[in-house]
Amino acid sequence: MNGTPRLRSAYPATTSTIRNRRSPLQNGTPPSGSTASSSSFQRQKLPDMRDLNPPEPEVDESSFPYFSIDAPTQRKWAFIGYIILFFWRLYDFYHLTIDETESFWLFIKWVAFDGVFLYTIPVLRIPWLEWSSTMTTGLYFAHVLFDWALMFRIHVSVSGAFIALLQVLWHKELAISEYSVKPANILNNPSLILGKQIIHILPEGSARLNPDQIPICLDPTTRYADAVLPIQINQTTPISIELIRYDFDSPKNQSVQIPASQIRKLRKDAEKVQTPELHGALILNYMVRKPGLYRLGRVIDETKMEVSHKQSETLVLQCPTAKVKAPAKNKCRGDLSNIAIEVEGTPPLKLKYRKTVNTDERDVTYQSIQPDGFTSPLVRWRGAGPLTQVGEVDFSWAAPSRVMVPVNETLLAGGVWSYAVERVEDAMGNMVMYTEDDEESEQSRPVAKDQEGSFTVHDRPAVGVQDYNRRTPFMAAEGHSVALPLRFGISGSTAQPMASRHLISYEFTPHNALLASGDHSINSTFVNTEVAGPHQSPHVKNAGLYTLKSVSSEHCSGEIVEPASFLLVNPPRPDLHVESHPIVDQCANRPTGMRVELDMTGTPPFEIKYTMKESGHDTGEYTHTFHDRRDTLILKPNFAAKYSYKIYQISDSIYPAVPLKEPIRLNQEVKPAASASFIGKEKHICKGQSAEFDVNLLGEKPWKLEHEFAIGSKRTKHKLEGIETPYPKIKTGQLAQGGEHSVILNSVTDAQGCREALQKVAKVFVRHQAPKGGFGLLEGKRSIKTLESKVVDLPLRLSGEGPWTIDYAYVGEDGIQVPMTKRIIDANAFLPVNKPGTYEITSVKDSMCPGSPDDATSKFEVQWIGRPRISVPPSPLMAITDRTAVRKEVCQGDDDAMEISFSGRPPYDVKYQERIIPDSGQKSLKNSELNVPMHSAQIKLDTSRAGQYDYVFSELGDYNYDHDSRNYRPFTIKQRVHGRPGATFSSPGKVYSFCQQKEDLTASTRSEAVPMTFSGKPPFTVDLEIRLHSRASKPQTLSIPNIPSTSHDLQIPHRLLQPGTSQLLIRRVRDQRGCETLYDTLTPLTGGRSGNVKFDNSISANTRVQISVHDPPTLSPADPDRTHYCVGEYVSYALSGAAPFTVYYTFEGTPNKATVHGTTFRRIAEQPGKFAITGLQDSASPCVARLDGKTVSTRGVDKVIHGMPQVRVSKGKETVVDIHAGGEAEISFEFVGVAPFEFTYTRSANAPYSVGQSKGKKGSSSSQQLIYGGDGISSRDVRPGDILETKTLTSEARSLNVMASEEGTYEVVAVQDRYCRYVRGGMEGLLGGVAGGSPVLARGRGVKEEERRLPDVD
């Protein structure tokens, strides 16, 4: 039943509702008959709607009620008060240091202030600040010390105090397991004493109606809705329950009897789902279907007695509802929203709705929604106590009321506005949610139409006249309509106009009715028109003044912007008047054309259309454009015929295609004068070709044409007669002479015999010679050696007129001929090539004429200069393969060099990398450069470090070529440098110790060896020296051959060892490769000088060790007479020898060792077991002394550690037992440890308790507690947790059961077994000063029972 109560029509519960609101029946479900109620809605109790304060906690012991100031706020104000006092104290200290104020009176002042503040805080009973008197006194004395140090300016070591604080908080010590542990965690182990038993003495049986006052409501939209009415029974089995229901609308009441059979069924259902933790208190879920005030009447139990109960009543209300009244679907910007939400339920109501403007959402909450003049006791009701007064019968304040909540706001933004109800809540906390959570968008969305209202806010349109100049009115053809020049927009915005219908109203006055001022007359008309969108405009055709008056869209009225008026004028229609005059030829006295003078009216420019017929045949339509009202049209055909013209149409800028009232007809007979002209006046030809010209003849055919050819200095005349075509051709013969020639037209004669002299000349240009082509010279020759891949421009020499097209062939090193073609613009151009070989020109052609190559210059040869190369001369020390050479291996430090050779043109620039991969250490890379003036060079090889050396010649260049990585492969010389062998002692500087007596050594230390480490390739040969105490004595040498590995344990012969100190040195070492290393054995380890030479002893320090012989260490326990210890105690031993020590021991059979840097071995026992020390070793020698009784006494060395005793009360759990007065409850104690056991337990005052409450939930606050004793009830002024009595019992067994009949909390505070004792922290004073939480070894036992009780308080 977790979740928010909802109607069937409501939406699912939101996540937050499920998380924050819990049903009081969370440990059970309603009976099977409550399906409709649980699916309809969920009930919960909400805070009071006036102030929305959190509900009062059921336990309020503070001096300030929680509903007025909650507990965190009380603690905050107490902290603020302390901070104010603290800074005030610092302020006084500041003035004390400056003004030298009296320190004593300031000290007295702050001692008093601190005392008042610290002793007042516990009196106020602020939660978490209710200190005990001991705690308060301790804090007070700490503040007194602080005031004393501050006011008397006593310097206190802050670092020392801080270190002491760290020691207290983070102090750790080593345990037997060699792990660091906190002693406090071992000494204060709360798991040793677990469990307690709480005994409550219950009153007589009781019954309550809706004990938790959960809100209950019925769904008004469902006909047969029902709700669960909880009835709590405690310590009783009723057979009859009476409920009294009061109507809200009338003073009538109804008695409802619940029979025994139904009670048994309700009780059976409750026992199935409710846990035993309620201890006899059951919740019976009774179903009701009518709203009203329900009171609990008579309750009869199975003894036929009436169960006593206080006034118990609850409200069953109609669930609240909320609906959005459907608003108008369309509104305009600037209007009011004018929307209302209808809320129905028991007032005062709370409403939350969501307003959405396009994508912007905002939640709005209204509280205290109620009718005017309405009062209700629910406003003052805090959720506890009776709802009504005794005898009250008017409950109309609980009846549902319907309230209209207006929502009026200015619509400033366009778009979709939406109002959706999210939830509604009545005065009792019944809440109905109308939204569900969307997990992806984290937003709520409405799912019911009645709870949502939306409308669209439209922008207001704006309109004005576009591109209007008052000096130039709009003009339109008479009788034709034009679109109004309108500019649409949005009022108050620069956004694009709305694409919707617009209704436009304008005022019109005809042109002849305008006033003298140009304004509208009183007889103007108003016109309403509609356009489909902003890109359309209404059409008008009447001339006059138009003024826009209003505009509106489909939903909103708009605004008229300036300019809003324009004048429309109808100009006159265009017309034409003509006068024609003939054009007469003077030779034949006949007309050759006509001049027509035009006189036009209208608005320029004009366009005239006419047709022309030639000898009765139509030749088409012609159009001429004129920009002036007077102009001339020349009609002069080229051929003789009879022509007739008809001008039938005129157009101007306003009137298109206006037909003339009467077409204008013009006639003429034309006989044009003879004439001839060339079509194209120049020809360019090659030598040996002929030229041909086209001639255009005018006049009457047939014609006679006289012309002549001027070829050089010769002129020849020619004549063509009887020419019938107007386009004859004149063709010259083949012209073999180059140069400029002419063709001249002398005269033409037509059919009338009129001869016209002509001077028409056409030019003929003949090329003097054919084009030729060849290669030029480079450095005096037609061959070149160039760098590889370099582009070479081969010079060309071409004759003729460009551009030229040359064909050439390329013959490479493979002998294959490749034909190529190239277009050349310049006669001295270059042919770019980048391949070696021979290039030959095979043909040449210029822009006009074909030519031929010059045999002597048609070929050019290109060669490449070779690139430099690197190599090494053959040598027995080198193994050469392709681009790699491997040189013979050498030893580290040997001198070596190599020779390299070059081919090319010196000087050579060489870059190479010396890559070193040492046997030890990091790789290195060294870059080097060489400038070699000869064809060979010597390079010294590096052998300073052992490893692989690669000399990579990565770049090579000479005089001709820079380095090119694409054409050069690196050359590598490899050499292996073997490191010289080395020999060192694995622990240089260490003093190797030997035990003087062999019987004191363990098996692992009897054969002493000196470990050595070698570097190089085995086998090795090493020479050593052994120097005794006196340097004057001759050293003994020792040679060890054929050491097979790099590690060797040197066994020193026992005959060479003498008491005291000896020195072992390494003289020489050699490996398999023949590499050898010598060491200095003469220079002292401390360093010295010989002349001006200072020796470096860094290697000598690793090649010599000391040998010494010592006595074994000893150990003795701190308390040899004690064998048994408890967990938490310390085990301690005293050590003698050379620190640090290594102690070998076993714990529970597991071997372990510990390193001790002092002379005391001390460990804390963190767990039980057997502890035994098996050996001891100091730093003077590797010998481990055995504790077998020969050299070290074993008395008191072995210890037995016992675990702390444990006790479990009520199986280690906290149990609550309810008994009646005079009854008894059994308390069980279980022990872990070594019998016999002795334990002390206490009985303390219980916390206030309410019968049937959940576990951990406290009852109401009270300063008095009823304690049920054997002689009756006594009242004493005790607080919860005060100890009422203590008892000490002894048990030989591991379990003990004790009967108790008095109320209280029973728990163990101390337990003891045969060896150890544990006391819970904080119980020192109660048990006579025994340190709380500390282990104590038990010394003696006695079976006894001790009881301590508090004295009675009047």
Side-chain angles (χ1 to χ4, degrees):
M1 293 185 63
N2 293 337
T4 303
R6 352 187 129 253
L7 305 173
R8 284 196 180 97
S9 62
Y11 308 121
T14 62
T15 306
S16 59
T17 304
I18 295 174
R19 182 174 60 250
N20 298 328
R21 302 180 181 275
R22 297 180 59 86
S23 170
L25 303 178
Q26 57 185 348
N27 294 325
T29 58
S32 60
S34 62
T35 304
S37 174
S38 61
S39 63
S40 300
F41 54 87
Q42 186 185 27
R43 311 169 189 83
Q44 71 234 3
K45 185 174 179 178
L46 292 180
D48 184 60
M49 298 183 63
R50 294 187 307 166
D51 50 20
L52 291 179
N53 283 329
E56 295 180 11
E58 298 185 8
V59 175
D60 187 0
E61 298 181 354
S62 174
S63 299
F64 304 98
Y66 292 164
F67 64 83
S68 60
I69 303 177
D70 56 9
T73 303
Q74 295 180 30
R75 289 190 292 270
K76 180 182 74 174
W77 284 111
F79 179 72
I80 291 174
Y82 180 80
I83 292 298
I84 292 174
L85 290 177
F86 184 79
F87 280 101
W88 188 8
R89 188 195 331 263
L90 295 181
Y91 176 78
D92 285 350
F93 173 73
Y94 173 74
H95 281 280
L96 177 65
T97 57
I98 295 178
D99 301 336
E100 294 296 335
T101 313
E102 183 65 33
S103 299
F104 176 76
W105 295 112
L106 287 177
F107 171 70
I108 296 300
K109 167 187 172 181
W110 284 109
V111 166
F113 279 5
D114 290 338
V116 172
F117 180 82
L118 293 174
Y119 281 97
T120 302
I121 289 296
V123 177
L124 297 178
R125 286 184 163 182
I126 300 175
W128 300 0
L129 300 180
E130 300 177 74
W131 304 318
S132 64
S133 58
T134 304
M135 180 69 176
T136 304
T137 304
L139 289 175
Y140 175 69
F141 278 108
H143 280 71
V144 169
L145 289 175
F146 179 71
D147 294 337
W148 174 70
L150 197 65
M151 297 307 166
F152 288 101
R153 289 179 288 180
I154 298 175
H155 297 284
V156 180
S157 175
V158 178
S159 59
F162 181 73
I163 293 174
L165 179 62
L166 290 180
Q167 287 289 338
V168 173
L169 296 179
W170 288 280
H171 175 61
K172 290 186 177 182
E173 293 196 21
L174 283 175
I176 293 178
S177 60
E178 293 303 317
Y179 292 104
S180 296
V181 297
K182 288 186 177 181
N185 294 341
I186 300 176
L187 300 176
N188 300 314
N189 187 359
S191 64
L192 298 178
I193 300 177
L194 295 177
K196 63 180 177 180
Q197 185 159 315
I198 303 173
I199 299 178
H200 290 284
I201 298 179
L202 299 178
E204 298 296 332
S206 62
R208 293 180 64 186
L209 186 63
N210 194 7
D212 294 315
Q213 287 298 329
I214 63 173
I216 305 172
C217 70
L218 296 169
D219 185 358
T221 62
T222 305
R223 183 175 180 182
Y224 298 105
D226 51 11
V228 176
L229 182 62
I231 304 173
Q232 183 191 68
I233 59 174
N234 183 29
Q235 299 295 328
T236 183
T237 305
I239 60 174
S240 175
I241 299 176
E242 179 188 22
L243 298 177
I244 303 174
R245 186 184 70 84
Y246 293 88
D247 286 335
F248 296 143
D249 302 329
S250 65
K252 298 181 181 180
N253 61 69
Q254 176 188 3
S255 177
V256 179
Q257 294 289 338
I258 305 177
S261 60
Q262 189 173 0
I263 294 175
R264 285 194 297 272
K265 184 177 182 306
L266 295 176
R267 187 182 183 95
K268 183 178 180 182
D269 294 339
E271 290 175 347
K272 289 180 181 178
V273 296
Q274 298 180 33
T275 61
E277 293 179 351
L278 296 178
H279 300 292
L282 289 178
I283 301 294
L284 307 182
N285 296 321
Y286 180 68
M287 310 303 295
V288 294
R289 290 187 175 179
K290 293 182 179 181
L293 175 70
Y294 286 80
R295 283 182 179 168
L296 185 62
R298 289 166 50 88
V299 180
I300 307 300
D301 64 5
E302 58 187 357
T303 61
K304 307 297 183 180
M305 300 294 292
E306 182 177 351
V307 178
S308 63
H309 60 81
K310 297 181 181 180
Q311 179 180 344
S312 182
E313 58 191 7
T314 190
L315 286 174
V316 178
L317 304 177
Q318 174 183 307
C319 291
T321 60
K323 295 189 294 185
V324 178
K325 289 297 183 181
K329 294 299 182 182
N330 296 283
K331 297 180 183 293
C332 301
R333 280 179 56 179
D335 293 347
L336 295 178
S337 59
N338 195 20
I339 194 173
I341 301 176
E342 181 183 281
V343 183
E344 184 177 1
T346 301
L349 298 160
K350 182 191 296 183
L351 171 69
K352 181 180 180 182
Y353 68 90
R354 184 179 69 255
K355 182 183 75 173
T356 304
V357 180
N358 297 324
T359 58
D360 185 18
E361 293 187 356
R362 186 167 68 91
D363 291 336
V364 181
T365 302
Y366 287 161
Q367 301 178 7
S368 299
I369 302 174
Q370 60 188 20
D372 295 336
F374 176 80
T375 58
S376 173
L378 295 178
V379 177
R380 298 181 299 274
W381 187 59
R382 298 295 182 182
L387 285 167
T388 62
Q389 302 294 329
V390 179
E392 183 179 354
V393 294
D394 182 13
F395 307 109
S396 59
W397 46 267
S401 299
R402 184 174 299 173
V403 183
M404 298 296 296
V405 180
V407 180
N408 255 343
E409 52 186 330
T410 303
L411 306 177
L412 299 177
V416 178
W417 289 55
S418 175
Y419 295 83
V421 177
E422 291 191 345
R423 67 170 180 259
V424 62
E425 183 180 338
D426 63 10
M428 285 296 293
N430 293 296
M431 180 186 296
V432 177
M433 305 281 294
Y434 293 103
T435 58
E436 64 181 8
D437 285 343
D438 187 348
E439 294 182 358
E440 294 183 358
S441 63
E442 298 183 357
Q443 294 179 352
S444 299
R445 56 182 180 87
V447 293
K449 294 182 179 180
D450 292 341
Q451 280 71 42
E452 181 182 21
S454 61
F455 52 83
T456 303
V457 178
H458 302 275
D459 293 318
R460 296 182 181 273
V463 68
V465 179
Q466 185 177 11
D467 300 332
Y468 177 67
N469 186 356
R470 294 184 181 273
R471 294 175 295 179
T472 306
F474 288 117
M475 290 186 290
E478 185 176 358
H480 291 76
S481 63
V482 296
L484 287 175
L486 301 181
R487 181 180 72 254
F488 291 89
I490 294 178
S491 178
S493 175
T494 59
Q496 294 296 323
M498 297 174 290
S500 62
R501 294 183 301 167
H502 289 71
L503 181 63
I504 299 174
S505 174
Y506 61 88
E507 182 182 3
F508 169 69
T509 299
H511 192 275
N512 55 6
L514 291 175
L515 299 179
S517 61
D519 294 332
H520 291 279
S521 66
I522 60 175
N523 296 324
S524 62
T525 59
F526 290 87
V527 181
N528 294 324
T529 183
E530 183 177 330
V531 295
H535 301 292
Q536 297 183 4
S537 295
H539 285 71
V540 295
K541 62 181 179 178
N542 297 325
L545 180 63
Y546 293 84
T547 301
L548 300 175
K549 290 300 182 182
S550 65
V551 62
S552 61
S553 63
E554 185 177 358
H555 304 287
C556 303
S557 61
E559 177 186 7
I560 302 298
V561 296
E562 291 296 332
S565 299
F566 68 93
L567 183 63
L568 181 64
V569 177
N570 296 137
R573 299 171 68 85
D575 200 1
L576 174 66
H577 299 278
V578 301
E579 291 183 2
S580 62
H581 304 281
I583 301 174
V584 180
D585 183 13
Q586 299 297 327
C587 172
N589 193 22
R590 57 188 177 186
T592 59
M594 181 184 297
R595 179 183 294 106
V596 182
E597 295 181 355
L598 306 176
D599 187 4
M600 296 165 283
T601 60
T603 305
F606 301 95
E607 185 179 83
I608 293 176
K609 286 188 176 182
Y610 64 92
T611 60
M612 183 178 68
K613 290 184 178 181
E614 180 182 358
S615 301
H617 300 287
D618 290 332
T619 59
E621 293 185 349
Y622 300 90
T623 302
H624 283 271
T625 302
F626 305 94
H627 295 277
D628 297 322
R629 289 185 173 88
R630 291 187 61 85
D631 212 328
T632 302
L633 175 63
I634 302 297
L635 300 175
K636 193 173 182 180
N638 293 326
F639 303 101
K642 291 182 179 181
Y643 294 90
S644 60
Y645 304 91
K646 183 178 72 172
I647 303 175
Y648 64 91
Q649 180 179 300
I650 184 172
S651 303
D652 65 358
S653 62
I654 303 300
Y655 295 91
V658 177
L660 297 178
K661 296 178 182 180
E662 293 183 2
I664 300 174
R665 301 181 184 275
L666 301 174
N667 298 303
Q668 68 172 343
E669 184 178 356
V670 176
K671 294 182 179 179
S675 178
S677 63
F678 285 107
I679 301 176
K681 295 185 178 182
E682 281 189 6
K683 292 287 184 179
H684 293 267
I685 61 174
C686 298
K687 184 182 292 187
Q689 295 179 346
S690 61
E692 186 179 67
F693 291 92
D694 292 330
V695 180
N696 182 17
L697 300 178
L698 299 178
E700 294 185 28
K701 60 182 180 181
W703 293 275
K704 181 175 69 174
L705 181 63
E706 297 179 359
H707 63 282
E708 63 180 350
F709 298 142
I711 307 299
S713 59
K714 297 176 61 177
R715 300 173 69 93
T716 59
K717 293 185 178 183
H718 300 272
K719 182 186 297 184
L720 296 177
E721 296 182 355
I723 301 174
E724 295 291 337
T725 175
Y727 300 105
K729 295 182 181 293
I730 298 176
K731 186 175 182 180
T732 67
Q734 292 184 351
L735 303 178
Q737 181 180 355
E740 180 182 337
H741 309 289
S742 300
V743 179
I744 305 169
L745 297 179
N746 293 328
S747 66
V748 61
T749 304
D750 62 1
Q752 298 296 328
C754 290
R755 184 176 181 275
E756 292 288 338
L758 303 174
Q759 282 298 322
K760 305 291 184 180
V761 181
K763 299 293 185 179
V764 179
F765 297 93
V766 181
R767 295 279 293 276
H768 289 279
Q769 59 182 3
K772 283 186 174 292
F775 288 107
L777 298 175
L778 280 179
E779 298 178 357
K781 54 185 178 180
R782 290 182 179 87
S783 63
I784 187 173
K785 285 189 175 182
T786 183
L787 300 180
E788 183 179 344
S789 299
K790 182 179 180 180
V791 176
V792 180
D793 292 329
L794 303 183
L796 294 175
R797 298 297 180 261
L798 305 173
S799 62
E801 295 183 1
W804 292 265
T805 300
I806 64 171
D807 294 333
Y808 65 96
Y810 162 69
V811 180
E813 296 177 354
D814 52 3
I816 299 176
Q817 186 176 14
V818 180
M820 297 182 182
T821 301
K822 190 170 183 65
R823 182 178 174 85
I824 306 298
I825 304 298
D826 188 8
N828 297 303
F830 293 89
L831 178 65
V833 298
N834 61 352
K835 295 181 179 179
T838 302
Y839 296 85
E840 181 180 2
I841 298 175
T842 57
S843 67
V844 178
K845 181 181 179 181
D846 65 359
S847 60
M848 291 178 55
C849 305
S852 61
D854 186 357
D855 294 338
T857 63
S858 61
K859 293 184 179 181
F860 205 107
E861 185 177 359
V862 178
Q863 295 179 348
W864 280 354
I865 299 174
R867 288 185 172 273
R869 298 184 180 277
I870 187 172
S871 61
V872 294
S875 171
L877 301 178
M878 285 284 188
I880 304 173
T881 59
D882 193 17
R883 303 296 294 171
T884 303
V886 180
R887 190 166 178 82
K888 184 179 179 181
E889 300 174 349
V890 296
C891 293
Q892 181 180 358
D894 293 348
D895 294 333
D896 195 10
M898 66 178 177
E899 181 182 355
I900 55 176
S901 300
F902 302 96
S903 62
R905 183 177 179 182
Y908 300 94
D909 293 325
V910 184
K911 291 184 179 181
Y912 66 94
Q913 293 179 343
E914 183 179 345
R915 301 175 183 176
I916 306 174
I917 305 177
D919 294 340
S920 61
Q922 295 183 348
K923 301 178 181 179
S924 63
L925 179 65
K926 180 181 177 181
N927 294 316
S928 301
E929 297 184 9
L930 291 176
N931 189 273
V932 183
M934 307 298 290
H935 291 287
S936 63
Q938 287 277 343
I939 296 179
K940 184 178 181 180
L941 301 181
D942 185 8
T943 60
S944 60
R945 300 170 64 186
Q948 178 66 39
Y949 286 76
D950 292 346
Y951 300 88
V952 180
F953 294 85
S954 57
E955 296 185 15
L956 175 63
D958 63 355
Y959 180 82
N960 292 320
Y961 288 95
D962 292 331
H963 172 71
D964 186 359
S965 59
R966 295 172 299 178
N967 296 285
Y968 175 75
R969 290 174 55 195
F971 185 77
T972 304
I973 298 177
K974 298 179 177 291
Q975 185 179 39
R976 174 68 186 181
V977 177
H978 296 295
R980 293 189 179 274
T984 59
F985 292 107
S986 300
S987 299
K990 179 181 177 181
V991 178
Y992 288 88
S993 301
F994 298 86
C995 291
Q996 187 174 4
Q997 300 178 4
K998 291 186 178 181
E999 59 272 12
D1000 294 335
L1001 301 178
T1002 61
S1004 61
T1005 57
R1006 288 178 180 174
S1007 179
E1008 181 71 15
V1010 179
M1012 297 182 66
T1013 303
F1014 297 89
S1015 61
K1017 186 174 182 180
F1020 302 95
T1021 299
V1022 62
D1023 295 339
L1024 302 103
E1025 285 186 4
I1026 301 177
R1027 295 181 180 274
L1028 301 179
H1029 300 289
S1030 175
R1031 291 180 55 88
S1033 60
K1034 182 179 179 181
Q1036 299 183 13
T1037 59
L1038 178 64
S1039 179
I1040 304 176
N1042 298 324
I1043 299 176
S1045 64
T1046 57
S1047 298
H1048 179 69
D1049 290 335
L1050 175 64
Q1051 299 290 337
I1052 301 177
H1054 195 269
R1055 57 183 175 81
L1056 300 177
L1057 299 177
Q1058 296 182 7
T1061 303
S1062 301
Q1063 194 174 33
L1064 180 65
L1065 304 96
I1066 301 175
R1067 292 183 57 188
R1068 181 176 58 185
V1069 62
R1070 184 173 63 254
D1071 64 356
Q1072 184 191 30
R1073 301 187 185 100
C1075 298
E1076 185 176 274
T1077 302
L1078 297 175
Y1079 295 99
D1080 181 15
T1081 60
L1082 300 177
T1083 304
L1085 188 59
T1086 56
R1089 288 184 177 270
S1090 176
N1092 295 324
V1093 180
K1094 183 177 181 180
F1095 296 102
D1096 184 4
N1097 296 319
S1098 59
I1099 298 179
S1100 299
N1102 297 328
T1103 59
R1104 58 185 72 187
V1105 294
Q1106 302 290 330
I1107 301 173
S1108 180
V1109 178
H1110 297 275
D1111 293 329
T1114 59
L1115 173 146
S1116 60
D1119 190 356
D1121 297 329
R1122 185 178 177 187
T1123 304
H1124 298 279
Y1125 286 77
C1126 296
V1127 170
E1129 292 188 295
Y1130 291 92
V1131 178
S1132 182
Y1133 299 87
L1135 309 177
S1136 63
F1141 298 90
T1142 300
V1143 180
Y1144 298 88
Y1145 64 91
T1146 61
F1147 184 71
E1148 283 295 289
T1150 302
N1152 206 342
K1153 69 176 181 178
T1155 300
V1156 181
H1157 295 278
T1159 58
T1160 301
F1161 174 65
R1162 183 173 181 262
R1163 293 292 184 268
I1164 188 171
E1166 85 280 15
Q1167 55 184 348
K1170 292 183 178 180
F1171 177 82
I1173 295 180
T1174 59
L1176 179 65
Q1177 179 185 3
D1178 64 357
S1179 60
S1181 68
C1183 307
V1184 178
R1186 296 179 303 176
L1187 302 182
D1188 54 0
K1190 295 182 179 179
T1191 59
V1192 179
S1193 175
T1194 60
R1195 178 174 172 268
V1197 172
D1198 297 343
K1199 307 292 183 183
V1200 179
I1201 300 171
H1202 300 277
M1204 299 300 292
Q1206 303 178 30
V1207 62
R1208 304 286 186 268
V1209 182
S1210 298
K1211 304 294 184 182
K1213 300 180 180 179
E1214 177 180 334
T1215 60
V1216 180
V1217 179
D1218 296 334
I1219 63 175
H1220 292 283
E1224 287 185 333
E1226 185 178 64
I1227 306 175
S1228 64
F1229 301 92
E1230 297 177 349
F1231 307 98
V1232 176
V1234 182
F1237 301 95
E1238 179 181 289
F1239 66 98
T1240 301
Y1241 68 93
T1242 64
R1243 179 175 67 89
S1244 57
N1246 290 339
Y1249 178 76
S1250 177
V1251 177
Q1253 69 183 11
S1254 300
K1255 181 179 180 181
K1257 184 176 180 182
K1258 296 183 180 180
S1260 59
S1261 174
S1262 175
S1263 61
Q1264 296 281 330
Q1265 179 183 0
L1266 296 180
I1267 302 177
Y1268 295 84
D1271 299 331
I1273 299 176
S1274 63
S1275 175
R1276 62 178 66 187
D1277 188 9
V1278 294
R1279 299 174 61 185
D1282 290 349
I1283 296 177
L1284 305 178
E1285 64 175 325
T1286 62
K1287 286 187 178 181
T1288 301
L1289 300 178
T1290 302
S1291 174
E1292 296 290 341
R1294 292 187 176 272
S1295 63
L1296 178 66
N1297 295 329
V1298 177
M1299 304 302 295
S1301 60
E1302 295 189 14
E1303 184 177 57
T1305 300
Y1306 293 81
E1307 53 187 336
V1308 175
V1309 297
V1311 62
Q1312 177 179 329
D1313 66 353
R1314 179 182 299 275
Y1315 297 104
C1316 302
R1317 184 184 186 191
Y1318 177 79
V1319 179
R1320 178 178 290 174
M1323 295 297 161
E1324 304 87 351
L1326 181 67
L1327 300 178
V1330 178
S1334 60
V1336 179
L1337 184 66
R1339 297 300 186 183
R1341 300 288 311 166
V1343 179
K1344 62 179 179 178
E1345 178 178 345
E1346 180 183 354
E1347 179 179 356
R1348 298 190 183 100
R1349 296 179 61 91
L1350 294 178
D1352 293 336
V1353 179
D1354 294 336

